[in-house]
mmCIF file of all heavy atoms in Angstrom:
data_model
loop_
_atom_site.group_PDB
_atom_site.id
_atom_site.type_symbol
_atom_site.label_atom_id
_atom_site.label_comp_id
_atom_site.label_asym_id
_atom_site.label_seq_id
_atom_site.Cartn_x
_atom_site.Cartn_y
_atom_site.Cartn_z
ATOM 1 N N LEU A 205 -71.244 29.154 -100.127
ATOM 2 C CA LEU A 205 -70.831 28.520 -101.387
ATOM 3 C C LEU A 205 -70.067 27.253 -101.078
ATOM 4 O O LEU A 205 -69.249 27.210 -100.150
ATOM 5 C CB LEU A 205 -69.954 29.494 -102.200
ATOM 6 C CG LEU A 205 -69.517 29.039 -103.595
ATOM 7 C CD1 LEU A 205 -69.461 30.246 -104.548
ATOM 8 C CD2 LEU A 205 -68.194 28.316 -103.572
ATOM 9 N N TYR A 206 -70.338 26.195 -101.848
ATOM 10 C CA TYR A 206 -69.724 24.882 -101.651
ATOM 11 C C TYR A 206 -69.042 24.435 -102.943
ATOM 12 O O TYR A 206 -69.567 24.654 -104.035
ATOM 13 C CB TYR A 206 -70.781 23.826 -101.322
ATOM 14 C CG TYR A 206 -71.791 24.180 -100.258
ATOM 15 C CD1 TYR A 206 -72.842 25.055 -100.521
ATOM 16 C CD2 TYR A 206 -71.740 23.587 -98.992
ATOM 17 C CE1 TYR A 206 -73.789 25.357 -99.550
ATOM 18 C CE2 TYR A 206 -72.692 23.875 -98.024
ATOM 19 C CZ TYR A 206 -73.702 24.763 -98.319
ATOM 20 O OH TYR A 206 -74.646 25.041 -97.349
ATOM 21 N N TRP A 207 -67.915 23.782 -102.778
ATOM 22 C CA TRP A 207 -67.302 23.048 -103.880
ATOM 23 C C TRP A 207 -67.319 21.556 -103.516
ATOM 24 O O TRP A 207 -66.921 21.162 -102.422
ATOM 25 C CB TRP A 207 -65.856 23.473 -104.093
ATOM 26 C CG TRP A 207 -65.677 24.755 -104.846
ATOM 27 C CD1 TRP A 207 -65.342 25.979 -104.336
ATOM 28 C CD2 TRP A 207 -65.799 24.931 -106.261
ATOM 29 N NE1 TRP A 207 -65.260 26.916 -105.334
ATOM 30 C CE2 TRP A 207 -65.528 26.301 -106.529
ATOM 31 C CE3 TRP A 207 -66.103 24.097 -107.332
ATOM 32 C CZ2 TRP A 207 -65.560 26.830 -107.811
ATOM 33 C CZ3 TRP A 207 -66.130 24.630 -108.601
ATOM 34 C CH2 TRP A 207 -65.861 25.983 -108.844
ATOM 35 N N TYR A 208 -67.783 20.756 -104.483
ATOM 36 C CA TYR A 208 -67.840 19.308 -104.310
ATOM 37 C C TYR A 208 -67.054 18.625 -105.412
ATOM 38 O O TYR A 208 -66.941 19.125 -106.530
ATOM 39 C CB TYR A 208 -69.281 18.799 -104.408
ATOM 40 C CG TYR A 208 -70.188 19.117 -103.242
ATOM 41 C CD1 TYR A 208 -70.923 20.301 -103.215
ATOM 42 C CD2 TYR A 208 -70.349 18.216 -102.192
ATOM 43 C CE1 TYR A 208 -71.773 20.579 -102.161
ATOM 44 C CE2 TYR A 208 -71.220 18.489 -101.144
ATOM 45 C CZ TYR A 208 -71.919 19.677 -101.134
ATOM 46 O OH TYR A 208 -72.773 19.945 -100.095
ATOM 47 N N LEU A 209 -66.598 17.429 -105.113
ATOM 48 C CA LEU A 209 -65.984 16.531 -106.078
ATOM 49 C C LEU A 209 -66.907 15.332 -106.234
ATOM 50 O O LEU A 209 -67.404 14.791 -105.237
ATOM 51 C CB LEU A 209 -64.622 16.080 -105.544
ATOM 52 C CG LEU A 209 -63.953 14.863 -106.184
ATOM 53 C CD1 LEU A 209 -63.469 15.216 -107.566
ATOM 54 C CD2 LEU A 209 -62.799 14.372 -105.317
ATOM 55 N N GLN A 210 -67.152 14.929 -107.479
ATOM 56 C CA GLN A 210 -67.980 13.753 -107.699
ATOM 57 C C GLN A 210 -67.286 12.799 -108.652
ATOM 58 O O GLN A 210 -67.106 13.099 -109.832
ATOM 59 C CB GLN A 210 -69.366 14.122 -108.233
ATOM 60 C CG GLN A 210 -70.294 12.913 -108.333
ATOM 61 C CD GLN A 210 -71.731 13.294 -108.667
ATOM 62 O OE1 GLN A 210 -71.980 14.297 -109.323
ATOM 63 N NE2 GLN A 210 -72.684 12.489 -108.221
ATOM 64 N N ASN A 211 -66.916 11.635 -108.145
ATOM 65 C CA ASN A 211 -66.358 10.580 -108.971
ATOM 66 C C ASN A 211 -67.482 9.753 -109.572
ATOM 67 O O ASN A 211 -68.602 9.705 -109.054
ATOM 68 C CB ASN A 211 -65.437 9.684 -108.140
ATOM 69 C CG ASN A 211 -64.134 10.374 -107.785
ATOM 70 O OD1 ASN A 211 -63.409 10.847 -108.662
ATOM 71 N ND2 ASN A 211 -63.823 10.447 -106.496
ATOM 72 N N LEU A 212 -67.180 9.080 -110.642
ATOM 73 C CA LEU A 212 -68.174 8.291 -111.364
ATOM 74 C C LEU A 212 -68.819 7.251 -110.448
ATOM 75 O O LEU A 212 -68.127 6.501 -109.757
ATOM 76 C CB LEU A 212 -67.501 7.602 -112.554
ATOM 77 C CG LEU A 212 -68.430 6.867 -113.522
ATOM 78 C CD1 LEU A 212 -69.373 7.858 -114.200
ATOM 79 C CD2 LEU A 212 -67.625 6.089 -114.558
ATOM 80 N N GLY A 213 -70.140 7.255 -110.386
ATOM 81 C CA GLY A 213 -70.863 6.277 -109.586
ATOM 82 C C GLY A 213 -70.950 6.601 -108.104
ATOM 83 O O GLY A 213 -71.486 5.805 -107.332
ATOM 84 N N GLN A 214 -70.411 7.750 -107.728
ATOM 85 C CA GLN A 214 -70.416 8.152 -106.324
ATOM 86 C C GLN A 214 -71.243 9.422 -106.139
ATOM 87 O O GLN A 214 -71.520 10.137 -107.100
ATOM 88 C CB GLN A 214 -68.978 8.419 -105.851
ATOM 89 C CG GLN A 214 -67.995 7.291 -106.107
ATOM 90 C CD GLN A 214 -68.249 6.118 -105.208
ATOM 91 O OE1 GLN A 214 -68.634 6.267 -104.054
ATOM 92 N NE2 GLN A 214 -68.027 4.921 -105.732
ATOM 93 N N GLY A 215 -71.600 9.679 -104.894
ATOM 94 C CA GLY A 215 -72.269 10.930 -104.589
ATOM 95 C C GLY A 215 -71.264 12.060 -104.461
ATOM 96 O O GLY A 215 -70.060 11.822 -104.361
ATOM 97 N N PRO A 216 -71.731 13.303 -104.457
ATOM 98 C CA PRO A 216 -70.819 14.436 -104.280
ATOM 99 C C PRO A 216 -70.134 14.394 -102.916
ATOM 100 O O PRO A 216 -70.751 14.035 -101.918
ATOM 101 C CB PRO A 216 -71.756 15.653 -104.373
ATOM 102 C CG PRO A 216 -72.966 15.171 -105.089
ATOM 103 C CD PRO A 216 -73.121 13.739 -104.687
ATOM 104 N N GLU A 217 -68.858 14.783 -102.902
ATOM 105 C CA GLU A 217 -68.084 14.863 -101.662
ATOM 106 C C GLU A 217 -67.619 16.295 -101.475
ATOM 107 O O GLU A 217 -67.012 16.881 -102.372
ATOM 108 C CB GLU A 217 -66.873 13.929 -101.728
ATOM 109 C CG GLU A 217 -67.211 12.471 -101.934
ATOM 110 C CD GLU A 217 -65.978 11.622 -102.181
ATOM 111 O OE1 GLU A 217 -64.900 11.978 -101.649
ATOM 112 O OE2 GLU A 217 -66.071 10.626 -102.922
ATOM 113 N N LEU A 218 -67.880 16.841 -100.301
ATOM 114 C CA LEU A 218 -67.546 18.242 -100.046
ATOM 115 C C LEU A 218 -66.030 18.447 -100.015
ATOM 116 O O LEU A 218 -65.308 17.713 -99.345
ATOM 117 C CB LEU A 218 -68.145 18.690 -98.712
ATOM 118 C CG LEU A 218 -67.907 20.160 -98.359
ATOM 119 C CD1 LEU A 218 -68.736 21.066 -99.268
ATOM 120 C CD2 LEU A 218 -68.245 20.427 -96.905
ATOM 121 N N LEU A 219 -65.576 19.473 -100.743
ATOM 122 C CA LEU A 219 -64.174 19.879 -100.686
ATOM 123 C C LEU A 219 -63.994 21.066 -99.751
ATOM 124 O O LEU A 219 -63.085 21.100 -98.916
ATOM 125 C CB LEU A 219 -63.674 20.257 -102.083
ATOM 126 C CG LEU A 219 -63.492 19.113 -103.080
ATOM 127 C CD1 LEU A 219 -63.196 19.675 -104.464
ATOM 128 C CD2 LEU A 219 -62.398 18.171 -102.620
ATOM 129 N N ILE A 220 -64.858 22.070 -99.906
ATOM 130 C CA ILE A 220 -64.720 23.284 -99.121
ATOM 131 C C ILE A 220 -66.048 24.017 -99.099
ATOM 132 O O ILE A 220 -66.834 23.935 -100.034
ATOM 133 C CB ILE A 220 -63.599 24.194 -99.695
ATOM 134 C CG1 ILE A 220 -63.286 25.351 -98.745
ATOM 135 C CG2 ILE A 220 -63.961 24.682 -101.088
ATOM 136 C CD1 ILE A 220 -62.003 26.100 -99.130
ATOM 137 N N ARG A 221 -66.292 24.695 -97.973
ATOM 138 C CA ARG A 221 -67.509 25.503 -97.832
ATOM 139 C C ARG A 221 -67.116 26.905 -97.389
ATOM 140 O O ARG A 221 -66.286 27.067 -96.487
ATOM 141 C CB ARG A 221 -68.450 24.880 -96.802
ATOM 142 C CG ARG A 221 -69.695 25.698 -96.501
ATOM 143 C CD ARG A 221 -70.700 24.869 -95.704
ATOM 144 N NE ARG A 221 -70.285 24.627 -94.336
ATOM 145 C CZ ARG A 221 -70.715 25.312 -93.280
ATOM 146 N NH1 ARG A 221 -71.550 26.314 -93.447
ATOM 147 N NH2 ARG A 221 -70.304 25.005 -92.066
ATOM 148 N N TYR A 222 -67.711 27.897 -98.036
ATOM 149 C CA TYR A 222 -67.469 29.299 -97.695
ATOM 150 C C TYR A 222 -68.714 29.920 -97.087
ATOM 151 O O TYR A 222 -69.823 29.708 -97.559
ATOM 152 C CB TYR A 222 -67.119 30.114 -98.944
ATOM 153 C CG TYR A 222 -65.705 29.962 -99.429
ATOM 154 C CD1 TYR A 222 -65.389 29.029 -100.406
ATOM 155 C CD2 TYR A 222 -64.689 30.764 -98.919
ATOM 156 C CE1 TYR A 222 -64.086 28.893 -100.853
ATOM 157 C CE2 TYR A 222 -63.381 30.632 -99.362
ATOM 158 C CZ TYR A 222 -63.101 29.694 -100.331
ATOM 159 O OH TYR A 222 -61.803 29.566 -100.777
ATOM 160 N N GLU A 223 -68.506 30.703 -96.045
ATOM 161 C CA GLU A 223 -69.536 31.608 -95.544
ATOM 162 C C GLU A 223 -69.025 33.000 -95.888
ATOM 163 O O GLU A 223 -68.038 33.473 -95.315
ATOM 164 C CB GLU A 223 -69.717 31.470 -94.030
ATOM 165 C CG GLU A 223 -70.262 30.131 -93.596
ATOM 166 C CD GLU A 223 -71.767 30.020 -93.778
ATOM 167 O OE1 GLU A 223 -72.413 31.036 -94.108
ATOM 168 O OE2 GLU A 223 -72.297 28.916 -93.604
ATOM 169 N N ASN A 224 -69.663 33.631 -96.861
ATOM 170 C CA ASN A 224 -69.155 34.874 -97.431
ATOM 171 C C ASN A 224 -67.742 34.602 -97.960
ATOM 172 O O ASN A 224 -67.557 33.676 -98.733
ATOM 173 C CB ASN A 224 -69.216 36.002 -96.408
ATOM 174 C CG ASN A 224 -70.649 36.269 -95.971
ATOM 175 O OD1 ASN A 224 -71.513 36.535 -96.800
ATOM 176 N ND2 ASN A 224 -70.901 36.168 -94.671
ATOM 177 N N GLU A 225 -66.738 35.335 -97.527
ATOM 178 C CA GLU A 225 -65.398 35.097 -98.072
ATOM 179 C C GLU A 225 -64.560 34.180 -97.176
ATOM 180 O O GLU A 225 -63.418 33.877 -97.490
ATOM 181 C CB GLU A 225 -64.663 36.420 -98.300
ATOM 182 C CG GLU A 225 -64.473 37.273 -97.065
ATOM 183 C CD GLU A 225 -65.695 38.136 -96.765
ATOM 184 O OE1 GLU A 225 -66.643 38.137 -97.580
ATOM 185 O OE2 GLU A 225 -65.685 38.799 -95.724
ATOM 186 N N GLU A 226 -65.133 33.685 -96.091
ATOM 187 C CA GLU A 226 -64.385 32.861 -95.146
ATOM 188 C C GLU A 226 -64.606 31.379 -95.410
ATOM 189 O O GLU A 226 -65.746 30.908 -95.470
ATOM 190 C CB GLU A 226 -64.800 33.198 -93.716
ATOM 191 C CG GLU A 226 -64.036 32.389 -92.667
ATOM 192 C CD GLU A 226 -64.511 32.666 -91.270
ATOM 193 O OE1 GLU A 226 -65.455 33.468 -91.099
ATOM 194 O OE2 GLU A 226 -63.961 32.067 -90.328
ATOM 195 N N ALA A 227 -63.503 30.630 -95.525
ATOM 196 C CA ALA A 227 -63.594 29.179 -95.663
ATOM 197 C C ALA A 227 -63.842 28.576 -94.285
ATOM 198 O O ALA A 227 -62.979 28.658 -93.400
ATOM 199 C CB ALA A 227 -62.314 28.627 -96.263
ATOM 200 N N VAL A 228 -65.010 27.985 -94.060
ATOM 201 C CA VAL A 228 -65.358 27.470 -92.742
ATOM 202 C C VAL A 228 -65.255 25.957 -92.650
ATOM 203 O O VAL A 228 -65.255 25.397 -91.565
ATOM 204 C CB VAL A 228 -66.767 27.923 -92.330
ATOM 205 C CG1 VAL A 228 -66.813 29.428 -92.164
ATOM 206 C CG2 VAL A 228 -67.805 27.488 -93.350
ATOM 207 N N ASP A 229 -65.197 25.271 -93.783
ATOM 208 C CA ASP A 229 -65.020 23.817 -93.797
ATOM 209 C C ASP A 229 -64.097 23.487 -94.955
ATOM 210 O O ASP A 229 -64.525 23.488 -96.096
ATOM 211 C CB ASP A 229 -66.358 23.090 -94.002
ATOM 212 C CG ASP A 229 -67.067 22.795 -92.712
ATOM 213 O OD1 ASP A 229 -66.403 22.309 -91.780
ATOM 214 O OD2 ASP A 229 -68.278 23.045 -92.633
#
Side-chain angles (χ1 to χ4, degrees):
Chain A
L205 184 145
Y206 312 76
W207 281 104
Y208 288 89
L209 164 71
Q210 186 172 29
N211 288 305
L212 187 64
Q214 307 289 325
E217 300 172 30
L218 182 71
L219 289 172
I220 190 168
R221 175 168 71 99
Y222 282 94
E223 294 280 352
N224 299 304
E225 59 276 355
E226 181 184 1
V228 295
D229 271 314

